[in-house]
Amino acid sequence: MATLLPPPKRAKLYHGVAEPEPEPPKVSPNVVVQFVYEHDGTPIAPAVNLPANVAREGLEALVNQLRTKDDDEHVPFAFHVALPEEERKPDAPTRIVISKSIEADILAHPSNFFSEEDILVVRCAPQSVFKVRPATRCSATLSGHSSPILCASFSPTGNLLATGSGDTHVRLWDLYTETPSHTLIGHTGWVLCVEWDPLERKLASGGHDGHVRLWDPKTGKPLGDAMKGHSKWVTSLAWEPVHLNPSTPRLASSSKDGTVRVWSTATRQLEYALGGHTASVNVVKWGGGGLNGHGVLYTASSDRTVRVWDARGGKQLHILKDHAHWVTTLALNTDFVLRTGPFDHTGKRPSSDEEAQALALKRYTALVSRTPELLISGSDDHTLFLWSLFASSNAEPGGGKTKPLTRLTGHQRQVSHVAFSPDGRWAASAGWDSAVRLWDCSGAGQLGKFVATLRGHVGPVYRLAWSADSRMLVSASKDATVKIWDLKTYKIKSDLPGHTDEVYCVDFVADKVVSGGRDRTVKIWKN
């Protein structure tokens, strides 16, 4: 007996109307694309004709094939198209990032400025070969401090964490077990800053008592007595870079008393004091360059100046007088490689001081070969200045006054913090106007261009930190939240609430974020 077929299904009716015919797939147009390097605008290859719906991953593979490099290493790229000046709106992003495809992001952009008949100039920015996962949850809430936490810093390898508090103690935390490791007792006032030696052998702390102390992070014991000399509290610390002095790096401390003191950490004696400022010195940075490659000290003060000193003997090289109010924050595009020294994402440890020096020098020269050492200064006058003090084309003969490359404006209130990305291509500034602003510092002709404003905080933003791959930015605010920002969309990637009061400090290493603040707890955030 033959099998009976089931009766045909009844056609679906929508309010008595038959189902509409499915739309035919939309034909994607072809576009002519010119790929150029972001840092100097040179073409990677002649313009190519390709379908507009090619995914971003396909564009990356195509650019890697078009590059005429001898090495076979695959380089990740980020792509964007710059909006023309006449199409830019105040406080809106100045570029369109390609996150899906040219068709979805560029041709369908609300500005409708680009069409399939244009030759699209797509700028390609090399990215790090590793990728950091965004933190999404609080993995530990560590209590122990009995006063607000004022500073927090990961060690260069990311294995240890140091926090300083108003309870006069520095605490070390073991990040493998997320438990307290040591309590460092010695200061008699608030601990205002902690700074790791780039080889992770020593920890320095500065306090409201005007003392600078050195600690052994393995035992938690002090390395000798406090280094005394400042008559008021210590505002910041900076270690000498590894590629200049790997065995006995010196330490610089700035103070409210208007001086900067450089200490020998081997003898704990003062080497020299810098006394040119007429008001509180708020920040000191130790740069790796200079006229003869011996290192330079950058100091920012409430006397409205930034001063530059030769690190060998303390000779003054420049006085930068362009700010109209207190200068409260400084950042170098080499900060990350100077802070981490020979340690990179591979996790290898140098076996000797000479190897550490060679690795650190290789990382430093790789960064400054693309862009010379840049300095950004932020002030209570609501502005920032970008400087390139040791590029031969910029310094005047005889070491006279050096003009800034550009003035970065847009903040509506005081600038609280500025930070360069690890690859030196971006700078981010935080302000009391609750906004974080992003600036492009990637190459010639583009230095200091405004990129986007990151809005989401409802209180002043105190502190910023970058992920090691330069793809994410984390901010800490008075609104008791920590936020991670995605630089593809200029939107919040992860909102990390949990603190019950203002968040004063934040740091980012590997895939871990640490934050601390007025609620006296340290929070560690992970993926």
Side-chain angles (χ1 to χ4, degrees):
M1 182 179 173
T3 305
L4 291 175
L5 293 173
K9 288 185 178 179
R10 287 184 299 173
K12 284 185 179 178
L13 297 178
Y14 296 85
H15 302 288
V17 181
E19 183 179 8
E21 290 289 326
E23 288 187 14
K26 187 180 176 184
V27 179
S28 181
N30 275 24
V31 289
V32 178
V33 176
Q34 173 68 69
F35 292 106
V36 300
Y37 286 112
E38 184 190 38
H39 63 279
D40 58 3
T42 56
I44 295 174
V48 293
N49 191 321
L50 49 84
N53 62 354
V54 173
R56 197 201 66 81
E57 292 75 13
L59 296 178
E60 187 177 291
L62 175 62
V63 169
N64 273 284
Q65 286 187 345
L66 291 174
R67 289 189 315 142
T68 55
K69 297 274 183 184
D70 296 329
D71 54 7
D72 296 324
E73 186 182 349
H74 180 88
V75 178
F77 280 95
F79 303 99
H80 75 266
V81 175
L83 278 169
E85 294 283 348
E86 62 271 13
E87 286 295 313
R88 294 179 185 174
K89 297 175 182 174
D91 241 22
T94 58
R95 55 179 65 179
I96 308 169
V97 177
I98 300 174
S99 57
K100 296 177 182 174
S101 68
I102 292 175
E103 185 174 30
D105 297 312
I106 306 297
L107 300 183
H109 193 263
S111 67
N112 290 326
F113 184 81
F114 300 101
S115 73
E116 57 205 61
E117 296 178 4
D118 297 325
I119 297 178
L120 301 176
V121 179
V122 174
R123 299 185 174 273
C124 311
Q127 303 286 287
S128 59
V129 293
F130 62 95
K131 204 165 186 178
V132 173
R133 294 176 298 178
T136 55
R137 63 187 176 87
C138 179
S139 69
T141 300
L142 310 174
S143 54
H145 284 296
S146 57
S147 288
I149 294 157
L150 306 176
C151 50
S153 178
F154 282 114
S155 64
T157 60
N159 295 333
L160 293 168
L161 169 67
T163 56
S165 165
D167 61 9
T168 75
H169 298 164
V170 178
R171 281 181 176 261
L172 293 178
W173 311 86
D174 183 347
L175 294 179
Y176 292 114
T177 57
E178 296 180 341
T179 54
S181 170
H182 298 98
T183 303
L184 315 181
I185 302 173
H187 284 287
T188 56
W190 302 343
V191 180
L192 300 175
C193 46
V194 290
E195 202 70 37
W196 289 89
D197 160 23
L199 287 177
E200 215 176 76
R201 294 170 181 166
K202 297 185 180 99
L203 174 70
S205 61
H208 204 273
D209 52 10
H211 298 169
V212 177
R213 289 185 173 268
L214 294 176
W215 312 88
D216 182 351
K218 290 182 180 175
T219 63
K221 297 283 192 294
L223 296 171
D225 292 332
M227 297 185 286
K228 301 174 183 177
H230 288 298
S231 59
K232 292 186 179 177
W233 60 87
V234 178
T235 54
S236 80
L237 300 167
W239 285 92
E240 187 171 15
V242 173
H243 70 269
L244 300 178
N245 187 350
S247 52
T248 55
R250 294 173 292 172
L251 178 69
S253 60
S254 64
S255 170
K256 172 75 174 174
D257 64 11
T259 67
V260 174
R261 292 176 176 264
V262 176
W263 310 87
S264 166
T265 54
T267 61
R268 298 193 318 284
Q269 297 297 312
L270 176 70
E271 285 210 355
Y272 56 83
L274 310 175
H277 287 291
T278 58
S280 167
V281 183
N282 300 317
V283 196
V284 59
K285 291 280 184 185
W286 203 313
L291 296 173
N292 299 308
H294 295 295
V296 284
L297 287 162
Y298 302 93
T299 57
S301 169
S302 294
D303 64 7
R304 301 178 299 177
T305 67
V306 176
R307 293 177 188 245
V308 187
W309 317 78
D310 185 351
R312 275 189 304 175
K315 179 188 173 186
Q316 187 170 282
L317 301 175
H318 299 292
I319 306 178
L320 314 176
K321 297 182 176 179
D322 290 72
H323 281 294
H325 211 304
W326 301 343
V327 188
T328 54
T329 178
L330 292 177
L332 295 170
N333 63 340
T334 52
D335 272 342
F336 181 79
V337 292
L338 295 179
R339 173 186 171 181
T340 53
F343 303 109
D344 60 10
H345 65 282
T346 58
K348 294 178 184 173
R349 294 191 77 99
S351 56
S352 65
D353 286 350
E354 292 72 25
E355 186 186 351
Q357 185 173 16
L359 287 170
L361 183 60
K362 181 182 175 185
R363 294 183 70 208
Y364 179 82
T365 51
L367 184 62
V368 296
S369 62
R370 188 173 62 242
T371 309
E373 194 165 74
L374 299 175
L375 173 74
I376 282 190
S377 57
S379 166
D380 280 8
D381 64 7
H382 310 181
T383 68
L384 305 105
F385 280 105
L386 179 65
W387 314 83
S388 179
L389 300 173
F390 298 102
S392 56
S393 60
N394 196 50
E396 293 182 6
K401 185 185 176 190
T402 306
K403 297 291 184 187
L405 293 177
T406 186
R407 185 171 184 243
L408 314 180
T409 59
H411 280 290
Q412 305 301 310
R413 293 186 66 190
Q414 298 98 315
V415 177
S416 55
H417 191 220
V418 62
F420 267 102
S421 63
D423 61 10
R425 288 192 165 91
W426 305 86
S429 58
W432 287 72
D433 55 2
S434 309
V436 177
R437 295 177 80 85
L438 207 59
W439 314 90
D440 183 352
C441 299
S442 60
Q446 293 191 30
L447 289 173
K449 271 195 175 178
F450 168 72
V451 176
T453 303
L454 311 179
R455 297 198 182 276
H457 283 294
V458 293
V461 184
Y462 290 144
R463 199 82 184 164
L464 300 171
W466 285 86
S467 64
D469 62 357
S470 304
R471 290 184 174 97
M472 289 179 292
L473 178 69
V474 62
S475 57
S477 168
K478 186 179 179 177
D479 64 12
T481 68
V482 175
K483 298 187 193 299
I484 297 180
W485 304 88
D486 186 355
L487 300 190
K488 282 184 182 174
T489 60
Y490 311 124
K491 299 280 196 305
I492 294 173
K493 195 174 187 79
S494 300
D495 197 354
L496 307 176
H499 283 285
T500 57
D501 212 330
E502 304 179 22
V503 186
Y504 292 142
C505 52
V506 69
D507 203 5
F508 203 148
V509 72
D511 56 354
K512 295 187 285 285
V513 174
V514 64
S515 58
R518 198 171 174 182
D519 60 3
R520 306 189 296 255
T521 60
V522 176
K523 286 187 179 287
I524 297 175
W525 312 85
K526 288 184 180 175
N527 183 275

